[in-house]
Amino acid sequence: AKQQGRGLLRFFSPEMTQRAKTRLRLEADLRRAIERDELLLYYQPQVDLPHRKLVGLEALVRWRHPQRGLVPPGDFIPLAEESGLIVSMGEWVLRTACRQIKHWLETGIAPQQTAVNVSAVQLSHGSLVERVQKILDETGIPPQRLELEITESFIMADSEQSFTSLTELRALGVRLSIDDFGTGYASFGYLQRIAAQKLKIDLSFVRDMTTNSSNASIVRAIIALGHSLGLNVLAEGVESSEQADYLLALGCDAIQGYLISRPLPVDEITAFLVQARG
Ligand code: C2E
Ligand code: CA
Ligand code: CA
Ligand code: CA
C-alpha cells in the first residue's frame, strides 16, 4: 500500500494536478458551450484554378469562451473527441451549416457546396447517418449541397462501421471529401472503397512545396493519384500566388487558403458570396 501511495504521489505531481483541473474545467465549459450558444461557424472559400471562381466553402467551428475569448478548434476538438462530446457538437455543426446553406439558397447566393468536418469519432459512432438524414429532412436542402470532410487518418482505424456509414452517406447523396491527404497511409483500395469526390492535399506539403523538392514531388504524386481515381484535387493552406501558380502548373483543380481569404464569420462570408456572384 505504501508503494502504491508513493506511485500515486508521483503520478499526481503538482503540474499534473493543475493540468488535470484545467482540463476538467474546460470539459465542463465545453459541455455547456452548445446550450449557451458559444459555438459559431466561420467559413473559408474554395476556388478553382485557373479562374479562381468560387466553388465551395468549408465550415470551421470556433468557440467564443466567456473568459478565454475565441478558442481555436485545435484547443478543444481533441478534448471533445476524448470525452464523446464531439457527437453532439458535430450535430450542432451539421445543423448550423445546413440551416445556413438553406438561407443562402433562399437568397440565391449559395455556393455549389459547403463542407463540414466530420471527426473519426463521429463516424465510428454509428448514429451519424441518421443524424445527417434528419438534418437534411429538417432543412430540406439538396444533399449534394453538403460535403463531409473525412480525415485520411480515419482509414487507418479500419473500422467496418465507418465504411458502412460512408457508403450510406453517399447513398443519401451528400458529397465526401478526403481531408489532410498525405499524412496517413491510405491504400489505393481504401480510397476506391470510399467513393469520395474530392481529395484535399494537407497544408504541410503545400507550405514549402516551392522550396522543398521532396514536398513538390509528393504534391505532384497526390494530384496524379487523385486524378487517376477521378477525384477533384484541392490544395489547402495556399498563402502565396507563387504556390497557386505552381499548383496550377501541376494540374491541381482548386485551392483554399489565406491567399484567397481567411475563414470568415457569417456576415463577412455572406458579403463575399454576394460579391462572388456579381
Ligand atoms: P482542417 O480541417 O485541416 O482545416 C484547415 C485549417 O487550416 C483551419 O484551421 C484553417 O483556418 C487553416 N487554414 C486555412 N487556410 C490556411 C492558410 O493559408 N495557412 C494556414 N497556415 N492555415 C490555414 P482551424 O480553423 O484552426 O481548424 C483546425 C482543425 O480543427 C481543422 O483542420 C479540423 O481538423 C478541426 N476542425 C475545425 N472545425 C471543425 C468541426 O466543425 N468539426 C471537427 N470535427 N473538426 C473541426
Ligand atoms: Ca477540413
Ligand atoms: Ca485539412
Ligand atoms: Ca488538418
Side-chain angles (χ1 to χ4, degrees), residues 173-184:
V174 302
R175 298 168 49 92
L176 297 179
S177 170
I178 301 167
D179 201 3
D180 298 349
F181 193 80
T183 58

